[in-house]
């Protein structure tokens, strides 16, 4: 019986599902149908080898199932020792390729089911994890390249890494399934204070940039933070951008790519609370009672922010397509006028 993705998430006992049983099944190289959805939240996708797909079909064999594994590495920052370990893992368990993604993560391909757990454990042994690297949650956080470039870049990276940790799911499923953590009372009923039992309707992306370089394309993220310095190399806070994204639902003309708007400025000590606000607004049960970003000087209301971050649906009074110069100029001009000189600095990146 096929279930909707939302039902699978709600009934998964906080992302556990029957993953343990699927992994232990020696009859097939695949996971059960519902578990194919849930494993995404653990940082993996089930795939199959397309090169032998037709041959196996003619031989009446099941597809050559294999798995992609993606790391959660904010900014793509790893030590030389970690890099060497990732390379060894790709050679030992994958198809000998280690790929760097556009969101600064690393991907392994060609991992078979019976070696999936060992691969996950090897990645964690390198002090890297894959939790929330895929699925309807906050994804890998992008950060301006090279945290060693200046003290401001180091601070930016530290804030981005803290945001990534802060927005992780609260469930212990990942640690139980892959790292053999013992279940405790209440397992499967953990409170998810940020996401709720169904997690997000869609994936959510965050980027951190530092003027004058916009190397992470911060305006293409659902939520962006543009570092504002005091001129001496210390970050005072962030201009917050909302509603960006290059994705659209296939076949749905009411969804479209969009360049983000600068909503306002927040001091550094408001960063973590502000990072939760747009995620909560994308939930069906969201309300505007308490918005941690309310202190920011904003150019938009919570209702419009919710529309931008959840579906980016075009309305009768929606701005022109962000691919046009007029729309790009309009969003920047509006944000600068509303958020003041700090936004003007950001608009110049």
């Amino acid at each position: 019986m096929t279930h909707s993705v939302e039902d699978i998430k709600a009934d998964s006992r906080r992302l556990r599902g029957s993953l343990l049983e699927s992994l232990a099944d020696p009859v097939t190289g695949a996971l059960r149908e519902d578990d194919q959805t849930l494993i995404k939240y653990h940082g993996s996708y089930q795939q199959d080898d397309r090169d032998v797909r037709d041959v196996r079909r003619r031989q009446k064999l099941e597809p050559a199932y294999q798995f992609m594994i993606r790391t959660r590495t904010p900014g793509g920052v790893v030590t030389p020792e970690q890099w060497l370990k990732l390379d060894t893992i790709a050679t030992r368990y994958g198809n000998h390729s280690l790929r760097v993604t556009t969101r600064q993560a690393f991907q392994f391909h060609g991992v078979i089911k019976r070696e999936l757990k060992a691969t996950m454990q090897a990645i964690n042994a390198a002090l890297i994890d894959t939790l929330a690297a895929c699925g309807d949650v906050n994804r890998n956080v992008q950060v301006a390249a090279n945290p060693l470039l200046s003290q401001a870049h180091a601070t930016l990276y530290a804030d981005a890494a803290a945001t990534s940790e802060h927005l992780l799911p609260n469930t212990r499923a990942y640690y139980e399934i892959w790292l053999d953590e013992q279940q405790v009372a209440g397992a499967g009923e953990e409170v998810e204070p940020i996401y709720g039992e169904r997690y997000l309707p869609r994936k959510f992306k965050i980027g951190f940039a530092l003027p004058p370089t916009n190397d992470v394309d911060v305006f293409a993220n659902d939520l962006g933070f543009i570092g504002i310095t005091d001129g001496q190399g210390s970050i005072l806070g962030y201009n917050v951008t909302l509603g960006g994204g290059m994705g659209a639902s296939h076949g749905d003309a009411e969804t479209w790519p969009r360049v983000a708007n600068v909503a306002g400025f927040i001091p550094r000590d408001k960063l973590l609370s502000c990072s939760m606000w747009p995620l909560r607004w994308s939930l069906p049960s969201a309300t505007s009672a308490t918005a941690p970003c309310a202190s920011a000087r904003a150019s938009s209301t919570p209702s419009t922010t919710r529309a931008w971050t959840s579906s980016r649906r075009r309305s009768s009074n929606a701005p022109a397509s962000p691919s046009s110069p007029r729309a790009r100029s309009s969003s920047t001009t509006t944000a600068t006028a509303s958020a003041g000189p700090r936004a003007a600095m950001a608009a110049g990146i």
Side-chain angles (χ1 to χ4, degrees):
M1 178 180 179
T2 301
H3 302 95
S4 73
V5 171
E6 297 304 312
D7 288 340
I8 291 171
K9 291 187 288 186
D11 298 337
S12 69
R13 297 181 300 117
R14 302 299 185 267
L15 305 180
R16 291 171 175 84
S18 57
L19 272 168
L20 285 174
E21 293 79 4
S22 282
L23 291 168
D25 184 356
V27 176
T28 175
L31 300 177
R32 298 175 183 177
E33 186 174 356
D34 288 1
D35 294 330
Q36 293 173 33
T37 294
L38 298 178
I39 199 171
K40 297 176 184 178
Y41 297 80
H42 298 253
S44 181
Y45 277 82
Q46 178 177 298
Q47 302 171 332
D48 75 281
D49 188 343
R50 292 178 295 179
D51 292 339
V52 298
R53 188 178 292 167
D54 288 340
V55 172
R56 294 182 67 86
R57 178 179 54 80
R58 289 195 296 268
Q59 295 175 342
K60 301 188 183 305
L61 298 172
E62 74 171 13
Y65 291 114
Q66 57 189 26
F67 293 82
M68 179 278 290
I69 303 175
R70 182 183 298 154
T71 65
R72 182 182 65 88
T73 43
V77 175
V78 296
T79 66
E81 293 78 11
Q82 287 175 317
W83 169 260
L84 291 174
K85 290 180 179 179
L86 293 178
D87 181 72
T88 299
I89 293 167
T91 303
R92 167 65 180 85
Y93 297 106
N95 62 4
H96 296 212
S97 69
L98 181 58
R99 308 181 190 185
V100 181
T101 75
T102 55
R103 294 201 64 80
Q104 303 171 317
F106 299 94
Q107 283 187 183
F108 304 89
H109 287 260
V111 179
I112 58 176
K113 188 177 79 169
R114 66 172 178 269
E115 294 185 337
L116 193 55
K117 184 171 182 176
T119 309
M120 290 286 204
Q121 291 180 338
I123 294 170
N124 278 267
L127 302 183
I128 296 171
D129 66 54
T130 66
L131 176 60
C134 314
D136 297 332
V137 287
N138 176 57
R139 298 290 190 87
N140 199 49
V141 176
Q142 286 187 301
V143 193
N146 192 1
L148 303 181
L149 189 61
S150 70
Q151 181 56 49
H153 285 82
T155 300
L156 192 82
Y157 169 72
D159 285 352
T163 301
S164 178
E165 290 289 329
H166 187 63
L167 299 179
L168 284 175
N170 194 45
T171 175
R172 302 302 298 178
Y174 180 87
Y175 308 96
E176 294 170 9
I177 293 170
W178 308 112
L179 305 180
D180 296 324
E181 179 180 274
Q182 185 175 359
Q183 280 196 3
V184 297
E189 300 176 355
E190 299 97 325
V191 174
E192 289 285 5
I194 296 176
Y195 296 108
E197 67 173 9
R198 293 177 182 266
Y199 298 87
L200 298 180
R202 295 187 65 181
K203 59 189 176 183
F204 194 88
K205 297 181 177 180
I206 298 177
F208 281 72
L210 188 64
T213 304
N214 185 15
D215 48 1
V216 300
D217 200 1
V218 69
F219 290 100
N221 284 268
D222 296 289
L223 174 63
F225 295 100
I226 302 170
I228 303 300
T229 67
D230 61 0
Q232 305 299 318
S234 297
I235 292 182
L236 297 173
Y238 293 94
N239 278 348
V240 181
T241 67
L242 294 167
M246 299 304 295
S249 297
H250 180 70
D252 186 351
E254 296 299 310
T255 63
W256 54 305
R258 189 184 190 282
V259 173
N261 283 67
V262 180
F265 174 82
I266 59 166
R268 275 191 70 205
D269 62 1
K270 300 294 184 182
L271 173 64
L272 296 185
S273 58
C274 184
S275 68
M276 296 189 297
W277 179 58
L279 273 77
R280 286 175 169 171
W281 265 106
S282 70
L283 297 173
S285 59
T287 68
S288 59
T290 56
C293 284
S295 59
R297 287 177 291 170
S299 60
S300 61
T301 63
S303 59
T304 56
T305 300
R306 182 180 182 184
W308 293 341
T309 56
S310 59
S311 64
R312 305 186 196 93
R313 291 188 175 273
R314 191 191 302 273
S315 63
S316 59
N317 60 349
S321 168
S323 61
S324 69
R326 182 178 71 81
R328 189 178 297 269
S329 173
S330 174
S331 65
T332 304
T333 303
T334 302
T336 302
S338 301
R342 292 188 178 92
M345 294 173 62
I349 65 176

